[in-house]
Amino acid sequence: MEIKSIKILFLEDSQDDYELNIISLKKSGLNLQGVRVETKEEFIEHLDKEAWDIILADYNLPNFNALEAYALLKERYPDIPMIIVTGVLTEDAAIACIEQGITNYVLKGNLARLGSAVKQALNKRHLEEARKNYEKELEKTYEELKQRADDIKELLRQKDEFIGQLGHDLKTPLSVLMTILPMVKEDSDKPEVIDDCDMAIRNVNYIKNLVIETLKIAELSSPYVEFDIKNTTLVEIADNVIKDNHLVFTKENIKIENIIDEKIIVEADQLRLSELFNNLISNAVKYSGNNGGKITIDAHNNKDTVTISITDTGIGLTKEKIEHIFDEFYKADDSRHNLESSGLGLSICKRIVEKHGGKIWAEGEVDKGSTFYFTLPSKTHIEE
């Protein structure tokens, strides 16, 4: 790095030595402005007069020395480097200079290295200044990001509050409609009224489910939601969900098999895990086709996680649908334009898994079925 137009304050009681220093520095290619002072009073006075790049000081002066000068310099301008230029420097004095923090020292009998010593000191100062400026910018950026994060957190809180209030406001009229519409249908003997009531009931049910699942998405997206994580025997959760859906499997002529090893234990929120299994199994039933089929639930221990799989023999998935299947309001079956699905079930699954620190994905081929995988933190053994 080339150093140009540097300002040097010389603390030197010999005019001859001062001039030799100037000559040596110019020979090394430095363009400089120098001022010589001899006493402590002159040194203090000139420190405040200019923005000095470096101080070159003789070690011993009348009633003053370089260590005392450096103490004054460090108190006022700690970023300005100092180099000792002296005729003789004992080992003890050299150690004292280093301990105080003086940048370097050069013997007057070897002034050839003075230029390089000055350049090194200035380069070091420039690097230090650049580092400090970088740290200041980094700290400023951090504070800005922190403020933005606080703003985003507040917006999320307001959003959650709004959605919660909206859900409450919607549930009340929906409950009224769900009470009145079946009564109107039962009391009417007109086919068109009965058909209209059925259509209205389907739509109200859809809106009700949409509200419930939208509230779940909002809750799971909130940074404030807490899970009750505990050691959970995985096979028991899956078995309970299968029992709860027994009538559905019978109606749809679907065989379901749970082959999870009973020794596999995960760290999970049991209610959320049940909801996760229920959503994925319901999804497998929905796309198993009209001729029944088979659903298999399995799990494998990895080093720190358990990978759970739910495989069906249904209609399968295209690559494009696999890419979007966990998107909110996405419906994988293009033929479904009715009100049976909100398109939020798999989005809810994704959030439940991610809140546990796991990941979820799907694989499949058209007409060859599909498999949904997700991971959970593992507990490798049951504590007795």
Side-chain angles (χ1 to χ4, degrees):
M1 178 178 177
E2 186 179 0
I3 308 297
K4 296 182 179 180
S5 301
I6 61 172
K7 295 180 179 180
I8 303 178
L9 180 60
F10 291 85
L11 183 55
E12 174 61 66
D13 60 347
S14 168
Q15 177 67 24
D16 291 340
D17 286 343
Y18 165 69
E19 291 176 358
L20 286 173
N21 288 341
I22 295 290
I23 293 170
S24 177
L25 291 170
K26 287 185 176 180
K27 280 185 177 180
S28 67
L30 290 170
N31 181 17
L32 62 98
Q33 302 173 32
V35 173
R36 183 177 74 89
V37 296
E38 296 185 20
T39 67
K40 176 179 179 180
E41 292 71 24
E42 288 179 325
F43 181 70
I44 294 174
E45 178 187 353
H46 280 79
L47 272 181
D48 297 327
K49 282 187 176 181
E50 296 283 352
W52 302 106
D53 293 300
I54 192 167
I55 309 296
L56 299 185
D58 194 355
Y59 187 78
N60 287 308
L61 299 110
N63 302 317
F64 194 41
N65 65 43
L67 292 180
E68 293 173 316
Y70 184 70
L72 292 169
L73 175 66
K74 191 161 60 171
E75 181 181 335
R76 289 168 169 77
Y77 302 101
D79 294 333
I80 300 178
M82 176 184 279
I83 295 177
I84 303 297
V85 185
T86 185
V88 178
L89 194 66
T90 66
E91 183 178 346
D92 290 341
I95 292 173
C97 291
I98 294 171
E99 289 178 344
Q100 288 286 335
I102 290 174
T103 306
N104 205 341
Y105 65 88
V106 175
L107 296 178
K108 291 182 179 180
N110 190 20
L111 286 180
R113 64 177 293 268
L114 180 60
S116 63
V118 169
K119 290 178 182 179
Q120 288 173 4
L122 293 177
N123 283 338
K124 184 178 179 181
R125 181 184 180 184
H126 293 156
L127 288 173
E128 184 65 17
E129 288 175 349
R131 183 188 65 80
K132 288 181 178 179
N133 289 335
Y134 173 76
E135 288 179 350
K136 287 180 181 178
E137 289 298 319
L138 193 62
E139 184 176 356
K140 180 181 176 182
T141 302
Y142 170 77
E143 291 299 326
E144 290 175 352
L145 290 175
K146 185 179 177 181
Q147 182 60 51
R148 290 181 186 178
D150 290 340
D151 293 342
I152 291 171
K153 186 180 288 188
E154 175 60 20
L155 288 173
L156 288 173
R157 187 195 65 77
Q158 294 176 8
K159 181 208 71 172
D160 293 341
E161 185 178 304
F162 169 76
I163 291 177
Q165 185 61 46
L166 179 63
H168 178 270
D169 292 344
L170 287 172
K171 281 181 180 179
T172 301
L174 289 174
S175 298
V176 174
L177 287 172
M178 289 303 296
T179 301
I180 293 176
L181 286 171
M183 295 171 59
V184 173
K185 176 183 175 181
E186 185 177 346
D187 291 343
S188 177
D189 56 1
K190 296 181 179 180
E192 60 272 21
V193 173
I194 294 173
D195 289 343
D196 288 344
C197 285
D198 286 338
M199 180 182 66
I201 290 170
R202 288 195 301 272
N203 278 273
V204 171
N205 271 321
Y206 172 75
I207 295 172
K208 180 182 177 182
N209 291 333
L210 185 61
V211 169
I212 292 171
E213 295 195 344
T214 300
L215 289 174
K216 286 182 183 178
I217 287 286
E219 179 192 11
L220 292 168
S221 300
S222 171
Y224 305 106
V225 65
E226 293 184 1
F227 280 14
D228 182 18
I229 304 295
K230 59 182 65 175
N231 292 341
T232 301
T233 304
L234 192 61
V235 67
E236 291 181 3
I237 299 294
D239 277 341
N240 289 335
V241 173
I242 291 171
K243 290 175 183 177
D244 291 342
N245 289 275
H246 175 72
L247 292 178
V248 175
F249 303 137
T250 302
K251 179 183 176 182
E252 299 293 335
N253 191 29
I254 291 175
K255 179 182 178 182
I256 185 161
E257 186 177 14
N258 179 12
I259 58 174
I260 297 175
D261 190 319
E262 63 181 12
K263 294 181 180 179
I264 294 180
I265 294 180
V266 294
E267 296 178 349
D269 183 307
Q270 294 180 1
L271 290 176
R272 304 286 186 174
L273 186 55
S274 295
E275 183 178 5
L276 176 60
F277 269 116
N278 191 70
N279 280 357
L280 291 175
I281 291 172
S282 297
N283 187 75
V285 170
K286 186 187 302 181
Y287 297 108
S288 286
N290 299 321
N291 299 319
K294 182 179 179 181
I295 298 172
T296 304
I297 307 173
D298 198 1
H300 299 283
N301 256 322
N302 304 313
K303 183 179 180 181
D304 299 313
T305 61
V306 172
T307 300
I308 300 96
S309 61
I310 298 177
T311 302
D312 64 65
T313 57
I315 61 177
L317 293 166
T318 64
K319 289 183 179 180
E320 183 206 357
K321 289 173 181 175
I322 288 174
E323 291 178 3
H324 298 284
I325 201 164
F326 296 104
D327 295 348
E328 293 176 15
F329 301 106
Y330 181 79
K331 297 182 181 182
D333 188 352
D334 294 334
S335 67
R336 289 183 179 271
H337 297 291
N338 54 33
L339 304 178
E340 293 183 14
S341 171
S342 66
L344 288 173
L346 292 177
S347 298
I348 291 172
C349 291
K350 184 173 186 289
R351 280 165 174 74
I352 291 174
V353 171
E354 289 176 347
K355 284 290 183 179
H356 280 88
K359 58 182 180 179
I360 187 170
W361 68 99
E363 296 177 0
E365 293 183 43
V366 176
D367 298 327
K368 292 186 178 181
S370 57
T371 300
F372 283 78
Y373 299 91
F374 63 94
T375 62
L376 294 172
S378 68
K379 183 73 174 178
T380 56
H381 66 278
I382 300 177
E383 296 182 1
E384 299 180 359

